[in-house]
């Protein structure tokens, strides 16, 4: 996945202070990174894992 070119996006609800995560779609996965460290590591989730995560957040 390191070789993939992806376009990360940040929520429009995020403050401009840079303390956010950014997400991108990449080959059937959702990748997440720290907006303060765009060259750093990313977490990768399958789309099903991401949907479950978002659903759990909305249900909390």
């Amino acid at each position: 996945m390191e070789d993939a070119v992806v376009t990360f996006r940040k929520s429009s609800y995020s403050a401009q202070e840079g303390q956010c995560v950014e997400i991108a779609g990449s080959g059937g996965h959702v990748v997440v990174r720290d907006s303060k460290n765009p060259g750093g590591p990313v977490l990768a989730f399958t789309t099903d894992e991401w949907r479950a995560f978002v659903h759990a957040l909305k249900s909390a």
Side-chain angles (χ1 to χ4, degrees):
M1 199 170 315
E2 302 89 38
D3 297 327
V5 175
V6 297
T7 302
F8 281 89
R9 64 180 190 261
K10 186 170 40 171
S11 171
S12 61
Y13 292 102
S14 298
Q16 296 302 318
E17 298 155 10
Q19 299 179 14
C20 308
V21 296
E22 298 173 318
I23 65 167
S26 177
H29 287 82
V30 174
V31 290
V32 181
R33 71 179 182 187
D34 182 346
S35 65
K36 295 183 305 292
N37 187 12
V42 298
L43 296 174
F45 302 91
T46 66
T47 52
D48 289 339
E49 290 170 332
W50 186 254
R51 279 190 205 106
F53 172 70
V54 171
H55 177 72
L57 288 176
K58 290 180 178 181
S59 298

